[in-house]
Amino acid sequence: MAIVRQRVESGGFILFLALITIALTLVVSSFIGALLWAALAALLFQPLFQRLLRWRPGQRNLAAALTLLIITVAVVIPAMIIVSMVIDQAAGVYGQLRTGQINFATYFEQVHGALPERIRRAIDSAGFGSFERAQVKISQAAGASASVLARSALSIGANAAAFLLAFGVGLYVTYFLLRDGERIGPAVVHALPLEPGVAQRLADKFVAVVRATIKGSGVVALVQGALGAITFWIVGLPAALLWGVVMAIVALLPAVGPALIWTPVAIYLLATGAIWQGVVVILSGVLVIGLADNILRPVLVGRDTGLPDWLVLVTTLGGIDLMGLSGIVVGPVAGALFLTAWQVLTEQRRMRADTDPAAQIAATDDTV
């Protein structure tokens, strides 16, 4: 009877724990993104906090405040300046789309007309349809993009107060996570309903993937986007900063990368007679932008996360589709934890098979 009562009480407590966890998640759902980025910032800048703490031992509040100040000055303020400049350029592009100064159908016509006759016939015979049909589709796509841009601008304006509130909450939480991170992290790992070794292994994988995604993929993407913006500015491409930001976003995707942006630009420049500009874009894309990943990633990451490129691509795209910007980190983390969990399960089963005499006898019989 006591055993049954103990099981009922244990099951009731687990049910209560699950329900209260779901309830808390619903309560803070409006700030999930802010809390996530606060945790990521605290994790990424924890070494800086520890260095400041060694400079002023025992003053954790001061070290956390200084770390938060450095984050604000070195990351937040430059990011806001760049975002404001990108919004200005996006607004200018949107105005040029509405007035017809930018016409993608005209650009397509220029490229199409510059192609050799044999290539044009091959494109038409490949089932891509006539040039007139493609021109109509491009015009429709440009119009749809302009509408989406207008709706996004209105949404940003309407949600400005909510964004500022979430931003303030994120900074506030970052301060406490920096100050108390040494206690919070081990407490969370210890509270997980897993074996201590498995929980620690999953936690180590989480930290490794987060740092690799932000320090490696994130910083490398920003560098490649900056190099792309400088290249586009040199060749006189309008809204160079806007296209550099787009290149930085695309650079987060393995196997695709910045070439998805600079290759069409180079083709257009060469096809329209801007030879030296097209050559500069190609040389910069291959020799500068393309090599930045190979040079910077090993220095910034330091160790491999064990994720294949195809899984990084799929999880990044899926994460962005599900959670927006936060999915850039959440997607690869989910993929890494998935692989690690299955590796742990496989290792445990192999260890049980090695120590179980019945399993060894069955394996021997199967071999015979």
Side-chain angles (χ1 to χ4, degrees), residues 24-38 166 323 326 330:
L24 179 62
T25 303
L26 293 176
V27 169
V28 302
S29 59
S30 300
F31 301 100
I32 287 293
L35 296 176
L36 173 64
W37 284 103
M323 301 186 62
S326 300
V330 174

Side-chain angles (χ1 to χ4, degrees), residues 308-338:
D309 288 342
W310 67 267
L311 185 59
V312 176
L313 175 62
V314 173
T315 54
T316 302
L317 291 175
I320 293 174
D321 181 65
L322 181 64
M323 301 186 62
L325 183 62
S326 300
I328 295 174
V329 179
V330 174
V333 166
L337 295 180
F338 173 82

Side-chain angles (χ1 to χ4, degrees), residues 217-308:
S217 301
V219 174
V220 170
L222 291 177
V223 171
Q224 290 181 316
L227 294 174
I230 294 173
T231 302
F232 294 157
W233 175 76
I234 291 175
V235 300
L237 190 71
L241 181 60
L242 174 62
W243 292 114
V245 171
V246 175
M247 183 180 292
I249 296 174
V250 177
L252 294 169
L253 305 177
V256 180
L260 189 64
I261 302 299
W262 64 259
T263 300
V265 172
I267 293 175
Y268 169 75
L269 292 174
L270 293 176
T272 54
I275 304 300
W276 75 265
Q277 292 92 334
V279 172
V280 168
V281 171
I282 293 175
L283 292 177
S284 176
V286 175
L287 301 179
V288 180
I289 300 174
L291 293 179
D293 182 83
N294 297 328
I295 296 174
L296 294 177
R297 190 179 299 274
V299 176
L300 294 173
V301 178
R303 59 176 175 173
D304 188 14
T305 60
L307 284 178

